[in-house]
Amino acid sequence: MTMVAATPNRRPDRPVQCRQRFRSAIIAILATIVLSLVASSPAASASAVPDNKKCLEFKEDYDVRNAARDSNVLLIVHESGDKEAREHICQKLENTPDKLLADAAEKGKGAVFAYIVVKEGSESYDGEWDAGNRNFVKTTLGVKNSPSFLFVSKGMDGKSKYSNHISHYSYKGSDSLELSDVEKFIEKKVGYRVGNDVFNIIFFDSVASRFVSYGNTEEWSVDRIKQRLLALLVRLSTLFSFKEPFASIGKLYNRAFSMSFEHGMDYCEMQVEKLQKKLDSKKSSLSSDKIHEFSQKIAILKSFAEPKELTAEDDKQIFIHAALHLGLLIATLLLFIVPSDEAEANEEEKDGQEVVNAEPVVAKTVDGDDKSSKKTK
C-alpha cells in the first residue's frame, strides 16, 4: 500500500510577521525623514521674488506701449514651444542683486522684463474670433526668429512708431542662439549684467560660523569632535546633491572645512586676502569666467573668515538637520539588515524547511496497489 501525503497548509510564523511589520515601519520612517530633509533643504529655500525681478507676460500692442510709456522694456518673443531661453534669462533676473537694479535706475537705465508668446488666430468656444498676435509680432515688432530679444526705449504713447524706440538683438552668423551674446546685449541696454553667479548657502554659513567658534582645537578633544560632526553634517547634506549650483558650491564648503582642519582656523581668512589681492591686480586681464571663479571662492571663504553671530534659531536648525541625517543613516542601515519577504522565501526554499500545521496527515490507499495484491493471493 502506497502512502500519499496531503499538501500541508502554510502559515507564516509570528517572528516572520514581526520582521515584515518592522521593515514596513522602517520604510515609512525613511520616507518621512527624506521628505523632511527635502522640505528643509538649503537648495530648496527661496524667498519671494520682488515685482521688479519678474518677467511679465504681454499679449498685445497695448501691453507694450503701456509699459514703455515710463520705463524701458526688455522684450522676449518666442513660439509656445520655445521658452527655454526666456526661462534662462528670467531666472538670472531673479538672482540679480538689488543694488545693480537700483544703481541702473539712478542712472536712468534699467528696464521692465517681459515676454510675448506668439499665438495664431483661433475661434473661441463662444464662436468669437481671436486674431492672435502673430501679425503684430511679425509686422509691427519686426520679429523674424524665435526666440527674439528686443529693447523698447521708454517714452512711447499711442501714436509712437516702434521703429523709433525698438532695438533688436542680431543673430551672429548662423541662426544658432548664443545666450552669452544675448546677455551682453541686455547688459549694454539695461546697464547691468543679469544674474548673480556668486552664491552662499545660508544654512551652511551657520554651520561654518559654529565651526570656527570653537577655534583651533586639540585632536580628540570635545570641541574637535564637535567640529568633525559639523563638517560631516555638511558633507552628508551635499552627498547626493547633483543639481547646480548646489553641487559645486557644496564642494567649496567641504574643501574649506578640510583645509581648516589641516592648516588651522585662520586658513580661510588668509585665503580671502590672497585671492582678493590677486583678483584686484589681475582683474583687467582675467576672463569673466575666471573672475566668477575667484568671486565664488571668496564668498564661501568669507563664511569662515567673517562668521556671523548665531541665534538660538540657527543652533536649533543645525540640531534638527543633524538629527534628521543621523536618523536617515540608521534607518538606511536597518533597511539593509532586516531581510525582505522575498529574501526570506528564498532562504526557506533553499533550506527545504516549511511550516506545517499541527493536524495529522491522512494517508490514502492507492487503488492500483490494492488490486494487484488481491490477484497475488
Short mmCIF file of all heavy atoms in Angstrom, two decimals, residues 221-274:
data_model
loop_
_atom_site.label_atom_id
_atom_site.label_comp_id
_atom_site.label_asym_id
_atom_site.label_seq_id
_atom_site.Cartn_x
_atom_site.Cartn_y
_atom_site.Cartn_z
N SER A 221 39.77 66.22 21.25
CA SER A 221 39.12 66.99 22.30
C SER A 221 37.63 67.08 21.99
O SER A 221 37.18 66.79 20.88
CB SER A 221 39.72 68.40 22.38
OG SER A 221 39.46 69.12 21.19
N VAL A 222 36.85 67.49 22.98
CA VAL A 222 35.39 67.57 22.80
C VAL A 222 35.04 68.56 21.69
O VAL A 222 34.20 68.27 20.82
CB VAL A 222 34.70 67.98 24.12
CG1 VAL A 222 33.20 68.17 23.90
CG2 VAL A 222 34.94 66.93 25.20
N ASP A 223 35.69 69.71 21.68
CA ASP A 223 35.40 70.72 20.65
C ASP A 223 35.81 70.24 19.26
O ASP A 223 35.13 70.54 18.26
CB ASP A 223 36.12 72.03 20.98
CG ASP A 223 35.48 72.78 22.14
OD1 ASP A 223 34.31 72.45 22.47
OD2 ASP A 223 36.13 73.66 22.72
N ARG A 224 36.92 69.49 19.17
CA ARG A 224 37.33 68.97 17.86
C ARG A 224 36.31 67.96 17.35
O ARG A 224 36.00 67.93 16.15
CB ARG A 224 38.72 68.34 17.96
CG ARG A 224 39.22 67.64 16.68
CD ARG A 224 39.20 68.58 15.46
NE ARG A 224 40.18 69.60 15.55
CZ ARG A 224 41.39 69.56 15.00
NH1 ARG A 224 41.75 68.48 14.32
NH2 ARG A 224 42.22 70.57 15.10
N ILE A 225 35.78 67.14 18.25
CA ILE A 225 34.75 66.17 17.85
C ILE A 225 33.52 66.91 17.34
O ILE A 225 32.90 66.50 16.34
CB ILE A 225 34.40 65.25 19.03
CG1 ILE A 225 35.60 64.35 19.37
CG2 ILE A 225 33.18 64.39 18.69
CD1 ILE A 225 35.41 63.51 20.61
N LYS A 226 33.14 68.00 18.00
CA LYS A 226 32.00 68.80 17.54
C LYS A 226 32.27 69.36 16.15
O LYS A 226 31.38 69.37 15.28
CB LYS A 226 31.73 69.94 18.52
CG LYS A 226 31.20 69.49 19.87
CD LYS A 226 31.00 70.69 20.79
CE LYS A 226 30.49 70.26 22.17
NZ LYS A 226 30.32 71.41 23.07
N GLN A 227 33.49 69.83 15.92
CA GLN A 227 33.84 70.35 14.59
C GLN A 227 33.77 69.25 13.53
O GLN A 227 33.31 69.50 12.41
CB GLN A 227 35.25 70.96 14.63
CG GLN A 227 35.33 72.27 15.40
CD GLN A 227 36.74 72.80 15.48
OE1 GLN A 227 37.70 72.03 15.60
NE2 GLN A 227 36.89 74.12 15.41
N ARG A 228 34.23 68.07 13.88
CA ARG A 228 34.17 66.95 12.94
C ARG A 228 32.72 66.62 12.58
O ARG A 228 32.40 66.34 11.42
CB ARG A 228 34.84 65.71 13.56
CG ARG A 228 36.35 65.82 13.74
CD ARG A 228 37.07 65.72 12.43
NE ARG A 228 38.52 65.73 12.63
CZ ARG A 228 39.40 65.78 11.64
NH1 ARG A 228 38.97 65.83 10.37
NH2 ARG A 228 40.70 65.80 11.88
N LEU A 229 31.85 66.65 13.58
CA LEU A 229 30.44 66.34 13.34
C LEU A 229 29.79 67.41 12.46
O LEU A 229 28.96 67.09 11.60
CB LEU A 229 29.70 66.21 14.67
CG LEU A 229 30.07 64.99 15.53
CD1 LEU A 229 29.37 65.07 16.89
CD2 LEU A 229 29.70 63.70 14.81
N LEU A 230 30.15 68.66 12.69
CA LEU A 230 29.59 69.75 11.86
C LEU A 230 30.05 69.61 10.41
O LEU A 230 29.25 69.79 9.47
CB LEU A 230 30.01 71.10 12.43
CG LEU A 230 29.37 71.51 13.75
CD1 LEU A 230 30.05 72.76 14.31
CD2 LEU A 230 27.87 71.76 13.58
N ALA A 231 31.34 69.30 10.21
CA ALA A 231 31.85 69.10 8.85
C ALA A 231 31.18 67.90 8.19
O ALA A 231 30.86 67.92 6.99
CB ALA A 231 33.37 68.92 8.88
N LEU A 232 30.95 66.84 8.99
CA LEU A 232 30.29 65.65 8.45
C LEU A 232 28.84 65.96 8.06
O LEU A 232 28.33 65.43 7.06
CB LEU A 232 30.32 64.54 9.51
CG LEU A 232 29.64 63.21 9.12
CD1 LEU A 232 30.32 62.60 7.91
CD2 LEU A 232 29.66 62.25 10.30
N LEU A 233 28.18 66.82 8.83
CA LEU A 233 26.80 67.21 8.51
C LEU A 233 26.71 67.86 7.14
O LEU A 233 25.82 67.53 6.34
CB LEU A 233 26.28 68.16 9.59
CG LEU A 233 24.90 68.79 9.36
CD1 LEU A 233 23.83 67.69 9.23
CD2 LEU A 233 24.55 69.74 10.48
N VAL A 234 27.63 68.76 6.85
CA VAL A 234 27.63 69.43 5.53
C VAL A 234 27.96 68.43 4.43
O VAL A 234 27.36 68.45 3.35
CB VAL A 234 28.63 70.60 5.53
CG1 VAL A 234 28.77 71.19 4.13
CG2 VAL A 234 28.20 71.68 6.51
N ARG A 235 28.89 67.54 4.71
CA ARG A 235 29.26 66.54 3.69
C ARG A 235 28.09 65.62 3.38
O ARG A 235 27.84 65.28 2.22
CB ARG A 235 30.47 65.73 4.15
CG ARG A 235 31.03 64.80 3.09
CD ARG A 235 32.38 64.26 3.49
NE ARG A 235 33.39 65.28 3.52
CZ ARG A 235 34.06 65.70 2.44
NH1 ARG A 235 33.80 65.18 1.24
NH2 ARG A 235 34.97 66.64 2.54
N LEU A 236 27.35 65.21 4.41
CA LEU A 236 26.18 64.37 4.18
C LEU A 236 25.09 65.14 3.42
O LEU A 236 24.38 64.56 2.59
CB LEU A 236 25.62 63.87 5.52
CG LEU A 236 26.46 62.79 6.25
CD1 LEU A 236 25.86 62.50 7.61
CD2 LEU A 236 26.53 61.52 5.42
N SER A 237 24.96 66.42 3.71
CA SER A 237 23.95 67.24 3.04
C SER A 237 24.22 67.37 1.55
O SER A 237 23.29 67.54 0.75
CB SER A 237 23.88 68.63 3.68
OG SER A 237 23.52 68.55 5.04
N THR A 238 25.49 67.32 1.17
CA THR A 238 25.86 67.50 -0.24
C THR A 238 26.16 66.18 -0.94
O THR A 238 26.46 66.18 -2.13
CB THR A 238 27.11 68.40 -0.34
OG1 THR A 238 28.19 67.80 0.39
CG2 THR A 238 26.84 69.77 0.25
N LEU A 239 26.05 65.08 -0.20
CA LEU A 239 26.48 63.79 -0.75
C LEU A 239 25.68 63.38 -1.99
O LEU A 239 26.23 62.89 -2.97
CB LEU A 239 26.36 62.71 0.33
CG LEU A 239 26.97 61.34 0.01
CD1 LEU A 239 28.46 61.47 -0.27
CD2 LEU A 239 26.73 60.36 1.15
N PHE A 240 24.36 63.58 -1.95
CA PHE A 240 23.51 63.16 -3.06
C PHE A 240 22.91 64.35 -3.80
O PHE A 240 21.84 64.26 -4.39
CB PHE A 240 22.40 62.24 -2.55
CG PHE A 240 22.91 61.00 -1.87
CD1 PHE A 240 22.85 60.88 -0.49
CD2 PHE A 240 23.48 59.98 -2.59
CE1 PHE A 240 23.33 59.75 0.14
CE2 PHE A 240 23.96 58.84 -1.98
CZ PHE A 240 23.88 58.72 -0.60
N SER A 241 23.59 65.48 -3.75
CA SER A 241 23.10 66.68 -4.42
C SER A 241 23.87 66.87 -5.72
O SER A 241 25.08 67.14 -5.69
CB SER A 241 23.27 67.91 -3.51
OG SER A 241 22.54 67.76 -2.33
N PHE A 242 23.18 66.73 -6.83
CA PHE A 242 23.82 66.85 -8.14
C PHE A 242 23.34 68.09 -8.91
O PHE A 242 23.83 68.37 -9.99
CB PHE A 242 23.55 65.59 -8.98
CG PHE A 242 23.96 64.33 -8.27
CD1 PHE A 242 23.01 63.49 -7.72
CD2 PHE A 242 25.29 63.98 -8.16
CE1 PHE A 242 23.38 62.32 -7.06
CE2 PHE A 242 25.68 62.82 -7.50
CZ PHE A 242 24.72 61.99 -6.96
N LYS A 243 22.38 68.79 -8.35
CA LYS A 243 21.82 69.95 -9.03
C LYS A 243 22.74 71.15 -8.83
O LYS A 243 23.19 71.45 -7.72
CB LYS A 243 20.42 70.26 -8.48
CG LYS A 243 19.72 71.40 -9.20
CD LYS A 243 18.32 71.60 -8.64
CE LYS A 243 17.61 72.74 -9.36
NZ LYS A 243 16.25 72.96 -8.82
N GLU A 244 23.00 71.86 -9.93
CA GLU A 244 23.83 73.06 -9.85
C GLU A 244 22.95 74.27 -9.54
O GLU A 244 21.79 74.30 -9.90
CB GLU A 244 24.56 73.28 -11.19
CG GLU A 244 25.60 72.22 -11.48
CD GLU A 244 26.77 72.24 -10.50
OE1 GLU A 244 26.92 73.24 -9.75
OE2 GLU A 244 27.53 71.28 -10.48
N PRO A 245 23.49 75.27 -8.82
CA PRO A 245 24.90 75.39 -8.40
C PRO A 245 25.19 74.74 -7.05
O PRO A 245 26.28 74.86 -6.53
CB PRO A 245 25.08 76.90 -8.31
CG PRO A 245 23.73 77.40 -7.85
CD PRO A 245 22.72 76.50 -8.53
N PHE A 246 24.19 74.06 -6.47
CA PHE A 246 24.34 73.49 -5.13
C PHE A 246 25.50 72.50 -5.06
O PHE A 246 26.26 72.49 -4.09
CB PHE A 246 23.04 72.81 -4.72
CG PHE A 246 23.02 72.32 -3.31
CD1 PHE A 246 22.88 73.21 -2.26
CD2 PHE A 246 23.14 70.97 -3.02
CE1 PHE A 246 22.85 72.77 -0.95
CE2 PHE A 246 23.12 70.52 -1.72
CZ PHE A 246 22.98 71.42 -0.68
N ALA A 247 25.66 71.68 -6.09
CA ALA A 247 26.70 70.64 -6.07
C ALA A 247 28.09 71.24 -6.02
O ALA A 247 28.93 70.87 -5.19
CB ALA A 247 26.54 69.72 -7.27
N SER A 248 28.39 72.19 -6.93
CA SER A 248 29.73 72.77 -6.98
C SER A 248 30.01 73.65 -5.77
O SER A 248 31.13 73.69 -5.26
CB SER A 248 29.89 73.59 -8.27
OG SER A 248 28.90 74.59 -8.36
N ILE A 249 28.99 74.34 -5.27
CA ILE A 249 29.17 75.18 -4.08
C ILE A 249 29.42 74.30 -2.86
O ILE A 249 30.24 74.62 -2.00
CB ILE A 249 27.94 76.08 -3.86
CG1 ILE A 249 27.85 77.11 -4.99
CG2 ILE A 249 28.02 76.80 -2.53
CD1 ILE A 249 26.61 77.96 -4.95
N GLY A 250 28.72 73.16 -2.79
CA GLY A 250 28.94 72.24 -1.68
C GLY A 250 30.37 71.75 -1.61
O GLY A 250 30.94 71.58 -0.53
N LYS A 251 30.99 71.54 -2.78
CA LYS A 251 32.39 71.10 -2.80
C LYS A 251 33.31 72.17 -2.21
O LYS A 251 34.29 71.85 -1.53
CB LYS A 251 32.82 70.79 -4.24
CG LYS A 251 32.13 69.57 -4.84
CD LYS A 251 32.58 69.35 -6.28
CE LYS A 251 31.87 68.14 -6.88
NZ LYS A 251 32.26 67.94 -8.31
N LEU A 252 32.99 73.44 -2.46
CA LEU A 252 33.81 74.53 -1.91
C LEU A 252 33.69 74.58 -0.38
O LEU A 252 34.69 74.81 0.31
CB LEU A 252 33.39 75.86 -2.52
CG LEU A 252 33.67 76.03 -4.02
CD1 LEU A 252 33.12 77.37 -4.51
CD2 LEU A 252 35.16 75.94 -4.30
N TYR A 253 32.49 74.38 0.13
CA TYR A 253 32.32 74.35 1.59
C TYR A 253 33.09 73.17 2.19
O TYR A 253 33.78 73.33 3.21
CB TYR A 253 30.84 74.22 1.94
CG TYR A 253 30.07 75.53 1.95
CD1 TYR A 253 29.28 75.89 0.87
CD2 TYR A 253 30.12 76.38 3.05
CE1 TYR A 253 28.57 77.08 0.87
CE2 TYR A 253 29.42 77.57 3.05
CZ TYR A 253 28.63 77.92 1.97
OH TYR A 253 27.93 79.10 1.98
N ASN A 254 32.97 72.00 1.56
CA ASN A 254 33.67 70.82 2.08
C ASN A 254 35.18 71.02 2.07
O ASN A 254 35.88 70.60 3.00
CB ASN A 254 33.29 69.59 1.27
CG ASN A 254 31.87 69.12 1.54
OD1 ASN A 254 31.39 69.20 2.67
ND2 ASN A 254 31.19 68.63 0.52
N ARG A 255 35.68 71.65 1.03
CA ARG A 255 37.13 71.90 0.96
C ARG A 255 37.56 72.89 2.04
O ARG A 255 38.63 72.73 2.65
CB ARG A 255 37.51 72.43 -0.42
CG ARG A 255 38.99 72.77 -0.54
CD ARG A 255 39.40 73.07 -1.96
NE ARG A 255 40.77 73.53 -2.03
CZ ARG A 255 41.84 72.75 -1.93
NH1 ARG A 255 41.69 71.45 -1.75
NH2 ARG A 255 43.06 73.24 -2.00
N ALA A 256 36.73 73.89 2.30
CA ALA A 256 37.07 74.87 3.34
C ALA A 256 37.15 74.20 4.72
O ALA A 256 38.03 74.52 5.52
CB ALA A 256 36.04 75.99 3.35
N PHE A 257 36.23 73.28 4.98
CA PHE A 257 36.29 72.53 6.25
C PHE A 257 37.58 71.70 6.33
O PHE A 257 38.27 71.72 7.36
CB PHE A 257 35.07 71.60 6.37
CG PHE A 257 33.81 72.29 6.79
CD1 PHE A 257 32.74 72.40 5.93
CD2 PHE A 257 33.69 72.81 8.07
CE1 PHE A 257 31.57 73.02 6.32
CE2 PHE A 257 32.52 73.43 8.48
CZ PHE A 257 31.46 73.55 7.60
N SER A 258 37.89 70.99 5.26
CA SER A 258 39.07 70.13 5.25
C SER A 258 40.36 70.92 5.44
O SER A 258 41.24 70.54 6.24
CB SER A 258 39.15 69.34 3.93
OG SER A 258 38.02 68.52 3.76
N MET A 259 40.49 72.04 4.73
CA MET A 259 41.70 72.85 4.82
C MET A 259 41.81 73.55 6.18
O MET A 259 42.93 73.79 6.66
CB MET A 259 41.73 73.88 3.69
CG MET A 259 41.73 73.26 2.29
SD MET A 259 43.05 72.05 2.03
CE MET A 259 44.48 73.11 1.98
N SER A 260 40.69 73.85 6.80
CA SER A 260 40.72 74.44 8.14
C SER A 260 41.24 73.44 9.15
O SER A 260 41.98 73.80 10.08
CB SER A 260 39.31 74.92 8.53
OG SER A 260 38.87 75.96 7.70
N PHE A 261 40.86 72.18 9.00
CA PHE A 261 41.40 71.14 9.88
C PHE A 261 42.91 71.00 9.68
O PHE A 261 43.67 70.81 10.64
CB PHE A 261 40.73 69.79 9.59
CG PHE A 261 39.37 69.63 10.22
CD1 PHE A 261 38.26 69.30 9.45
CD2 PHE A 261 39.20 69.81 11.59
CE1 PHE A 261 37.02 69.15 10.03
CE2 PHE A 261 37.95 69.66 12.17
CZ PHE A 261 36.86 69.33 11.39
N GLU A 262 43.33 71.10 8.43
CA GLU A 262 44.74 70.86 8.10
C GLU A 262 45.64 72.04 8.46
O GLU A 262 46.76 71.85 8.96
CB GLU A 262 44.86 70.53 6.61
CG GLU A 262 46.26 70.16 6.18
CD GLU A 262 46.30 69.73 4.71
OE1 GLU A 262 45.23 69.42 4.15
OE2 GLU A 262 47.42 69.72 4.14
N HIS A 263 45.16 73.28 8.20
CA HIS A 263 46.01 74.46 8.37
C HIS A 263 45.58 75.38 9.50
O HIS A 263 46.25 76.40 9.72
CB HIS A 263 46.06 75.25 7.06
CG HIS A 263 46.58 74.47 5.89
ND1 HIS A 263 47.92 74.16 5.74
CD2 HIS A 263 45.94 73.91 4.83
CE1 HIS A 263 48.09 73.46 4.63
NE2 HIS A 263 46.92 73.29 4.06
N GLY A 264 44.50 75.08 10.17
CA GLY A 264 44.05 75.94 11.27
C GLY A 264 42.87 76.81 10.88
O GLY A 264 42.55 76.98 9.70
N MET A 265 42.24 77.40 11.90
CA MET A 265 41.02 78.16 11.68
C MET A 265 41.25 79.50 10.97
O MET A 265 40.31 80.11 10.47
CB MET A 265 40.32 78.42 13.02
CG MET A 265 39.80 77.17 13.70
SD MET A 265 38.55 76.28 12.73
CE MET A 265 39.42 74.74 12.40
N ASP A 266 42.49 79.96 10.92
CA ASP A 266 42.76 81.22 10.23
C ASP A 266 43.11 81.02 8.75
O ASP A 266 43.44 81.97 8.04
CB ASP A 266 43.91 81.97 10.92
CG ASP A 266 45.18 81.13 11.01
OD1 ASP A 266 45.12 79.90 10.73
OD2 ASP A 266 46.24 81.70 11.34
N TYR A 267 43.01 79.78 8.28
CA TYR A 267 43.34 79.48 6.87
C TYR A 267 42.43 80.26 5.92
O TYR A 267 42.91 80.87 4.96
CB TYR A 267 43.20 77.98 6.61
CG TYR A 267 43.16 77.62 5.15
CD1 TYR A 267 44.32 77.52 4.40
CD2 TYR A 267 41.93 77.38 4.50
CE1 TYR A 267 44.29 77.21 3.06
CE2 TYR A 267 41.90 77.07 3.15
CZ TYR A 267 43.07 76.99 2.43
OH TYR A 267 43.02 76.68 1.10
N CYS A 268 41.13 80.23 6.17
CA CYS A 268 40.17 80.88 5.26
C CYS A 268 40.39 82.39 5.19
O CYS A 268 40.28 83.00 4.12
CB CYS A 268 38.74 80.56 5.70
SG CYS A 268 38.29 78.81 5.52
N GLU A 269 40.70 82.99 6.34
CA GLU A 269 40.95 84.43 6.35
C GLU A 269 42.16 84.79 5.51
O GLU A 269 42.14 85.77 4.73
CB GLU A 269 41.15 84.90 7.79
CG GLU A 269 41.30 86.40 7.93
CD GLU A 269 41.42 86.84 9.38
OE1 GLU A 269 41.27 85.98 10.27
OE2 GLU A 269 41.65 88.05 9.60
N MET A 270 43.22 84.02 5.61
CA MET A 270 44.42 84.27 4.80
C MET A 270 44.14 84.06 3.32
O MET A 270 44.65 84.81 2.47
CB MET A 270 45.56 83.36 5.27
CG MET A 270 46.07 83.68 6.66
SD MET A 270 47.57 82.76 7.11
CE MET A 270 46.93 81.08 7.12
N GLN A 271 43.31 83.05 3.01
CA GLN A 271 42.99 82.78 1.61
C GLN A 271 42.15 83.90 1.00
O GLN A 271 42.31 84.24 -0.17
CB GLN A 271 42.25 81.44 1.48
CG GLN A 271 43.14 80.22 1.62
CD GLN A 271 44.16 80.14 0.51
OE1 GLN A 271 45.36 80.32 0.73
NE2 GLN A 271 43.73 79.88 -0.70
N VAL A 272 41.26 84.48 1.80
CA VAL A 272 40.44 85.59 1.30
C VAL A 272 41.34 86.76 0.90
O VAL A 272 41.18 87.36 -0.17
CB VAL A 272 39.42 86.04 2.37
CG1 VAL A 272 38.79 87.38 1.99
CG2 VAL A 272 38.34 84.99 2.54
N GLU A 273 42.29 87.10 1.77
CA GLU A 273 43.21 88.20 1.46
C GLU A 273 44.05 87.91 0.22
O GLU A 273 44.25 88.77 -0.63
CB GLU A 273 44.13 88.44 2.66
CG GLU A 273 43.39 88.94 3.91
CD GLU A 273 44.32 89.09 5.09
OE1 GLU A 273 45.55 88.82 4.93
OE2 GLU A 273 43.85 89.48 6.18
N LYS A 274 44.52 86.67 0.12
CA LYS A 274 45.35 86.28 -1.01
C LYS A 274 44.58 86.34 -2.32
O LYS A 274 45.07 86.90 -3.32
CB LYS A 274 45.87 84.86 -0.77
CG LYS A 274 46.75 84.31 -1.88
CD LYS A 274 47.21 82.89 -1.56
CE LYS A 274 48.04 82.31 -2.69
NZ LYS A 274 48.48 80.92 -2.39
#
